[in-house]
Structures are given as C-alpha cells and as structure tokens.
Amino acid sequence: MRYISTRGTAPDLAFDEVLLTGLARDGGLYVPAEWPQLSADDLHSMADKSYNEVAFQVIKPFIGGTIDDADLMGIIDRAYATFEGGEVAPLVDIGGGVMLMEQFHGPTLAFKDVAMQLLGGLFDHVLKARGTSITIVGATSGDTGSAALEACRDKDALRVFMLHPKGRVSEVQRRQMTTVIADNVFNLAVEGTFDDCQDLVKAMFNDQPFRDRHNLSAVNSINWARVMAQIVYYVYAAVQLGAPDKAISFTVPTGNFGNVFAGYAAKQMGVPIKKFVVASNSNDILARFFASGEMKMETVLPTISPSMDIQISSNFERLLFDMLGRDGAAVAETLTRFRETGAFSVSEDAYAKAQELFVGARYDDTQTKQTIKDLHDEIGMLIDPHTAVGVAAARSTPETDGTPMVVLATAHPAKFPDAVEDASGVRPDLPARVGDLLDREEKAIDISGELAAIEKYIDDQSPLKSGAA
Ligand SMILES: *Cc1c(COP(=O)(O)O)cnc(C)c1O
C-alpha cells in the first residue's frame, strides 16, 4: 500500500513513513493510493469477532506489510486494554431508531483515545525498529491534546509540544493535559483561537529547516494513522447491525472532519453506509457547504462544544481530493484560493455527488442544551454537548426506511460538567478511573501566538536523546 499527497507533488510513501511524517511536504495530506476492499464475505465473517479482531482485519491492508501481523495484533491489544471494561465502541439504543456509539471509555474520556492509544503504540514500534526519535507538535481544541499526551508520555523516542488556545478549553480538558507531568511532555497555552494554534503547527511544518532540525511529526487528525484507526468502529458498528445485508447511517459531531472522513473511508471500502449527517455547532461552515456547495470562512464563535469550534476543517481536504477526481493540482489551487479569499466553490457535479452521501446540520448552544435536557428527562441519560449536537441532528433527520441511525457519542458528559449541569440540573460524576484529576498538580507554559516565540521555545528545550534524522 502506497500513500499519495492530496496536493500531488510530495513523494509517495509507505505506511511507516506516512505515520512519522504527518503533513506531506507539499502541504497536502496523505491518503491511500487506493481503498482496500472488504467483501461481503469479509463483513459476514466479522459479525462474531471482537473489536480488536475487526481492528486487525481492517487495519492490516493499510499497514502494507510494514509491521508483522503478530506485532500489529499486540499493538492493538495493548491500545484497547486501556479502555474501561475493554469496551471501545459499545452501541446503546436511545429510542426512535437512534443509537449512540459510546466512544468515551478510554483514558481521557473522548473518542480521540481510540485513535491515539493505537498511534502511541505504532509510533513506539516504528521508531524502535528504525532506531530514531521525533518531536511531535500538535494543536488541540481540548481533546486531542490530552489523548496525545496520555498516549505518548514517558516514551523515550518522542517529545511532545501541545498547543492549546489559552482560556478556551474546559477546566477538565485543560487539567487532562496539564497534569500529564513527564520530561518529554510540554503544554503550551497560546494567546489565540484553535485555528491560530492549528495555523502555527502548519507553519512549523512548512519551516523546512525547523522541521528537519527537530524531525517533526504530527498526531493531529491530519495524521493518516488516526483516520485509519477510526475506520474500525464504523465497520464494527455496521456489522453489529447487520452489514453487509443491511445498510446503516451515521451522525457525526464534527470539527476537523477527521472522524466523519474515517466513515467515508469505511464506505469506500465497501461498508453499506447510506448517509452521513455532519453535525456542527454554531461554527457551521460545513453545514453551509453541504447546503450550498460553497465553503466560506467566518470567525470562530466559542460554544459549549469547544472541540467543534473550528472554521477550517483540515481533513476536509481529503474529501475534496476525491471530489475533484484526485487531482492534486486542483486541490492546491482551490485551497490557495480559500486562503486568499476566505471562500471557494466546487463544481455542480462534485457538489451533487457530495450531497448523495452527506447532509449538514447546525445546532446552537440553546438547542444543544435543550437536547441534553430532553434526553435526560426521557430516559435519564446524560450526554455531553458534542454528543448532544449529534443527537439533535439525528432526530431532525430521521431515517424513514428503518435504516439504523448511529450517533457517535464523542465525549463523556463528565468532561463538560458545567454545560451538562446547566442544561439538565444534574452534575455528571467523573468515572472512578480519573477520580483525583481536580487535585493533581498542573504544568503549562504561557506563550504568545507568534511563530518565532514558539519555535524558539522548542529550540531551547533539551535535544532528543538519540539524534534526529
Ligand atoms: C475532536 C472532537 C470532535 C470533532 O471531531 P473531528 O474529527 O475533529 O471532526 C467532536 N467531539 C469531541 C468530543 C471531540 O473531542
């Protein structure tokens, strides 16, 4: 399996190189040169398999022989042993033909753990095999950071610098990052928004001398391996609910488009997925795109679902690549225009194709809170604000032909206790496994949003133990 860049000019790479590289050298994102196929027999055979066994079968073709089968199975088993009760993606019926897929049983209480725990193991394995080390830089709107730090802490061959927008993540989210105290972990609290942080990370990758000096790598959702890990639960849910004989639809609370793109990948691999509802909060650039065919940037509004407070969904580039017939030059041209003018449109054809599969939906904070309250009143269940945006969207876009609608429940309600309490009157308890979070020591560095300041800070830290390539 080879990987190609969405902008068409970076070299093709194998899986282990894509894992370590993150962003392609032409500024694009790596995607598989072709989609591996799951036949009807493959899907039938998965119905009785465990999550980890399905993960192995889905992931193996993407690895393309760069990791031995036994090692891969070991990496998967260790990654998901960190999930409470070994449950990675259990389905829970909430009535009205809607199910939740609970993705928050990992160490940091959000779906990002599903990919990140696997990524930590993959990095460790590949770096050891190569005898090298890397510096990971990432931007987080909250959940990525903690998941990455938990997955990478105390691994000798990695340093992690995590940028978060100061004052714009919840207290629980912040503490889940700043209480990871390890020599290889650096939390940077940046003046600015999440998009500013993401731009800074991109700028570091585009600064070639800096990038080479530190052997930079990414764990953001631009890293292909994260998307790959997320494909698994779409396949797993589909076979639980009768694929390949029955179709399924998903509603995905969306920010960077990483999670929903993984669902799109499952569909390309042969899983019978009828529809994706792309659920946004007031930062509704994607909902507007799917309603009009025009991508138009607005300013970021803070909401009670902060992990979706994003205007530029970086993973959308992967879908755009397919929408534009895998023409890298056209992607580069379109995104340059977007940078310059804050808007772009796609052709009628491309838009029509996107509309066959994707529906956008937008719910503001008032509607989100109402949904949290409604579900609590109806069945006594508390959901987090991101999940609530998804539930609101799923309920307003019902399947009329009996196709099950699965909403990705992306965070545990206790990760956003203030918003959940405000909406429902009930304060969700932190699960016992993260019990003393609010009492642990915190460590973070306040820093301006200037690229030079951040690069200098990273330059000034002690170098990697083994020399960077
Ligand atoms: C990251 C995140 C999202 C958005 O996922 P994307 O892959 O960025 O679209 C939604 N909900 C929660 C809780 C998250 O942490």
Side-chain angles (χ1 to χ4, degrees), residues 414-433:
K415 196 152 186 169
F416 302 92
D418 297 336
V420 173
E421 182 175 17
D422 185 33
S424 68
V426 181
R427 194 160 182 89
D429 291 329
L430 277 171
R433 66 186 190 281

Side-chain angles (χ1 to χ4, degrees), residues 110-112 143 253-259 307-308 310 384 386 410-411:
F111 88 94
K112 306 235 170 29
D143 299 331
T254 300
N256 252 323
F257 209 76
N259 207 359
S307 298
M308 294 154 58
I310 289 166
D384 101 285
H386 304 78
T410 52

Side-chain angles (χ1 to χ4, degrees), residues 50 65 69 71 94 130 148 159 165 167 170 173 195 225 281 283 288 330 342 359 384 390 402 406-407 441:
S50 69
D69 284 1
D71 288 336
I94 60 166
R130 297 180 156 218
R159 289 190 308 174
S170 78
Q173 284 181 312
D195 285 341
N281 61 26
N283 298 291
R288 286 182 285 110
V359 191
D384 101 285
V406 173
V407 179
E441 177 198 350

Side-chain angles (χ1 to χ4, degrees), residues 4-163:
I4 57 176
S5 166
T6 51
R7 307 229 179 150
T9 58
D12 296 3
L13 299 179
F15 174 80
D16 53 343
E17 296 163 326
V18 165
L19 174 74
L20 298 179
T21 305
L23 198 67
R25 289 207 171 236
D26 57 7
L29 276 54
Y30 276 105
V31 289
E34 68 277 335
W35 295 110
Q37 293 300 302
L38 295 168
S39 68
D41 283 350
D42 290 335
L43 293 172
H44 275 133
S45 77
M46 288 177 180
D48 302 321
K49 287 187 174 161
S50 69
Y51 187 89
N52 290 4
E53 288 166 336
V54 171
F56 177 82
Q57 200 173 337
V58 171
I59 290 171
K60 183 177 153 69
F62 289 112
I63 302 283
T66 56
I67 299 174
D68 288 349
D69 284 1
D71 288 336
L72 178 59
M73 198 66 232
I75 291 167
I76 292 169
D77 284 341
R78 280 191 296 281
Y80 299 128
T82 63
F83 279 61
E84 183 143 17
E87 294 249 59
V88 183
L91 295 171
V92 178
D93 198 334
I94 60 166
V98 176
M99 261 170 261
L100 297 185
M101 175 157 63
E102 294 184 345
Q103 308 191 287
F104 49 69
H105 297 286
T108 71
L109 310 180
F111 88 94
K112 306 235 170 29
D113 286 326
V114 179
M116 211 63 87
Q117 285 294 317
L118 189 79
L119 208 64
L122 289 169
F123 267 118
D124 199 39
H125 180 89
V126 168
L127 289 169
K128 278 184 183 146
R130 297 180 156 218
T132 187
S133 61
I134 54 171
T135 297
I136 290 171
V137 293
T140 181
S141 52
D143 299 331
T144 306
S146 54
L149 300 183
E150 281 292 348
C152 297
R153 63 187 302 163
D154 299 323
K155 291 201 161 83
D156 286 346
L158 306 168
R159 289 190 308 174
V160 192
F161 294 86
M162 192 54 65
L163 281 57

Side-chain angles (χ1 to χ4, degrees), residues 76-321:
I76 292 169
D77 284 341
R78 280 191 296 281
Y80 299 128
T82 63
F83 279 61
E84 183 143 17
E87 294 249 59
V88 183
L91 295 171
V92 178
D93 198 334
I94 60 166
V98 176
M99 261 170 261
L100 297 185
M101 175 157 63
E102 294 184 345
Q103 308 191 287
F104 49 69
H105 297 286
T108 71
L109 310 180
F111 88 94
K112 306 235 170 29
D113 286 326
V114 179
M116 211 63 87
Q117 285 294 317
L118 189 79
L119 208 64
L122 289 169
F123 267 118
D124 199 39
H125 180 89
V126 168
L127 289 169
K128 278 184 183 146
R130 297 180 156 218
T132 187
S133 61
I134 54 171
T135 297
I136 290 171
V137 293
T140 181
S141 52
D143 299 331
T144 306
S146 54
L149 300 183
E150 281 292 348
C152 297
R153 63 187 302 163
D154 299 323
K155 291 201 161 83
D156 286 346
L158 306 168
R159 289 190 308 174
V160 192
F161 294 86
M162 192 54 65
L163 281 57
H164 71 265
K166 185 176 157 85
R168 292 182 191 239
V169 298
S170 78
E171 187 190 2
V172 172
Q173 284 181 312
R174 187 190 72 242
R175 284 181 164 276
Q176 284 183 321
M177 294 189 280
T178 57
T179 61
V180 179
I181 312 276
D183 288 344
N184 68 332
V185 163
F186 302 86
N187 278 293
L188 303 183
V190 178
E191 294 294 341
T193 64
F194 169 69
D195 285 341
D196 295 333
C197 292
Q198 188 155 265
D199 282 347
L200 285 162
V201 169
K202 283 210 171 189
M204 283 187 258
F205 273 96
N206 286 329
D207 178 347
Q208 219 69 289
F210 181 82
R211 177 178 181 161
D212 291 340
R213 187 154 76 237
H214 292 291
N215 214 9
L216 281 200
S217 190
V219 294
N220 268 1
S221 57
I222 55 173
N223 191 304
W224 165 256
R226 278 188 55 191
V227 175
M228 176 189 78
Q230 293 169 358
I231 298 170
V232 176
Y233 45 70
Y234 288 94
V235 180
Y236 184 71
V239 297
Q240 299 295 301
L241 295 176
D245 307 317
K246 284 191 200 142
I248 182 171
S249 289
F250 291 97
T251 299
V252 189
T254 300
N256 252 323
F257 209 76
N259 207 359
V260 64
F261 185 80
Y264 169 83
K267 164 110 180 157
Q268 303 314 304
M269 293 172 74
V271 178
I273 298 171
K274 191 178 146 207
K275 181 168 85 186
F276 292 102
V277 181
V278 179
S280 303
N281 61 26
S282 296
N283 298 291
D284 61 348
I285 184 167
L286 290 167
R288 286 182 285 110
F289 174 78
F290 288 116
S292 69
E294 187 189 36
M295 193 73 90
K296 191 164 179 293
M297 217 185 304
E298 307 275 354
T299 50
V300 179
L301 302 169
T303 72
I304 58 170
S305 44
S307 298
M308 294 154 58
D309 290 351
I310 289 166
Q311 282 289 338
I312 305 169
S313 299
S314 42
N315 266 291
F316 187 82
E317 177 164 347
R318 291 190 158 110
L319 181 68
L320 187 66
F321 183 59

